[in-house]
Amino acid sequence: MSAAPTPRLTPATIALLVIPPLMWAGNAVVGRMMQGVVPPVTLNFLRWALALLLMLPIAGRVLRPGRDGMWPHWRRFALLGLLGVGCYNAFQYVALKTSTPLNVTLVASSMPVWMLLLGRILYGEAISRRAALGAVLSLTGVAVVLSRGELDHLLAVKLVPGDAWILLASMLWAWYSWLLVRPKPGTEPAHIKADWATFLLAQIVMGVLWSGLFAAGEWLTLPPLADGAHHIQWGWPLAAALVYVAVGPSLVAYRCWGAGVARVGPAMASFFNNLTPLFAALLSATLLREPPQLYHLAGFVLIVGGILVSSRR
């Protein structure tokens, strides 16, 4: 991508950047529901394997041998597939085994900070005062939602090993987002990048290879079960969960995220990622038949305020 993305927000760009957090909030809910139904790393592998099958009729041409395919540039797509497909959600599913949803979403809300720091370290991007203030506002909004407006509840949070997994996942996702808009010269063919379907499938193919390798390692470490017990509980709940996570959080969300990052850059896009815990809170409230509270509105105002502050020139 030769032209630097403009930080100007339009209604279309806002829609592109709001859809992924909504889908990913649903992914977190489904991931919690699938604990005990399927091992977490295996869930990630099944998710992307299904997404691969769905994308083949649309963009299978990218897998053809020759100069027009992805294989001459396999290193580029292997790295993107490792970070965005093989690691991020696998680490999130693993985190949900030992950490609470509160801790996972709270630690993941550090995403804008890692975006800014990696941009500064790897690409020399200056951190403006508006970006720093926007990060503080967004993080405050997330904290308000997760603490239910009570400081004591937030201070009572205790970190567990799962929090380290989601922290690592957040750092890798920040790196992945920067790689989307700052490829090394000659590593990404223009005809593939110009077509979202072929660009996404090239990542998924390599990501499925990575996640399959990780899933194989997971099965080597699973404890033996009693006779008649299985590590995977096959049935309609698992099938429905796989369809959702393969279509919504995978294909739709990744398509919108890639297009949104290309328009405004990864640093600004990361502020929209902080809408994920807000949407997760609202979805949880809906599933539990609990009406939204005042702190939901306060958190939404702070998060959106952080986005607006950071996006102003």
Side-chain angles (χ1 to χ4, degrees):
M1 185 174 303
S2 58
T6 174
R8 192 181 303 278
L9 289 174
T10 65
T13 302
I14 292 174
L16 287 173
L17 293 172
V18 167
I19 290 175
L22 179 59
M23 294 294 180
W24 292 329
N27 180 58
V29 173
V30 171
R32 293 196 297 269
M33 295 172 62
M34 290 298 103
Q35 294 298 318
V37 177
V38 58
V41 181
T42 301
L43 173 60
N44 188 59
F45 169 70
L46 294 174
R47 162 191 178 174
W48 288 106
L50 179 55
L52 173 61
L53 294 177
L54 294 174
M55 288 294 294
L56 280 176
I58 304 175
R61 59 189 177 276
V62 78
L63 302 180
R64 297 173 182 172
R67 297 179 58 184
D68 294 336
M70 58 168 285
W71 303 113
H73 311 277
W74 67 269
R75 291 181 178 84
R76 160 75 170 166
F77 295 111
L79 180 56
L80 292 177
L82 172 63
L83 299 176
V85 176
C87 290
Y88 178 72
N89 283 109
F91 291 172
Q92 184 185 51
Y93 294 147
V94 171
L96 289 169
K97 290 185 61 177
T98 57
S99 184
T100 65
L102 171 62
N103 285 43
V104 167
T105 51
L106 180 59
V107 175
S109 67
S110 63
M111 183 77 68
V113 177
W114 303 120
M115 289 284 192
L116 295 173
L117 289 178
L118 286 179
R120 178 61 177 173
I121 295 173
L122 299 179
Y123 301 99
E125 291 287 335
I127 302 177
S128 67
R129 293 182 179 179
R130 289 190 180 277
L133 178 59
V136 171
L137 287 175
S138 291
L139 289 174
T140 302
V142 172
V144 168
V145 172
L146 296 178
S147 66
R148 298 177 181 269
E150 298 179 4
L151 181 60
D152 293 340
H153 187 81
L154 183 64
L155 296 177
V157 172
K158 296 181 180 180
L159 297 180
V160 295
D163 300 324
W165 282 108
I166 194 62
L167 180 62
L168 177 59
S170 300
M171 295 178 183
L172 295 179
W173 183 259
W175 186 18
Y176 167 80
S177 296
W178 275 108
L179 287 174
L180 287 178
V181 296
R182 295 293 181 88
K184 292 183 179 179
T187 62
E188 188 173 270
H191 67 279
I192 293 180
K193 183 58 180 292
D195 185 344
W196 74 268
T198 57
F199 184 63
L200 180 57
L201 181 58
Q203 299 177 61
I204 293 177
V205 167
M206 304 305 292
V208 167
L209 295 178
W210 285 113
S211 57
L213 180 63
F214 298 156
E218 180 182 49
W219 279 85
L220 292 176
T221 61
L222 289 176
L225 299 178
D227 293 341
H230 302 280
H231 287 291
I232 301 180
Q233 307 299 320
W234 295 104
W236 287 111
L238 177 57
L242 286 175
V243 170
Y244 171 75
V245 297
V247 175
S250 301
L251 302 184
V252 175
Y254 273 62
R255 161 57 175 157
C256 294
W257 180 259
V261 168
R263 292 189 179 194
V264 302
M268 186 186 301
S270 67
F271 289 95
F272 285 84
N273 192 71
N274 271 0
L275 291 172
T276 302
L278 175 64
F279 288 145
L282 295 176
L283 288 175
S284 299
T286 301
L287 293 175
L288 297 174
R289 297 182 179 181
E290 297 177 353
Q293 304 297 322
L294 183 61
Y295 63 82
H296 288 132
L297 176 60
F300 179 78
V301 170
L302 287 169
I303 292 173
V304 173
I307 295 172
L308 294 178
V309 168
S310 64
S311 65
R312 292 186 61 186
R313 290 180 180 271

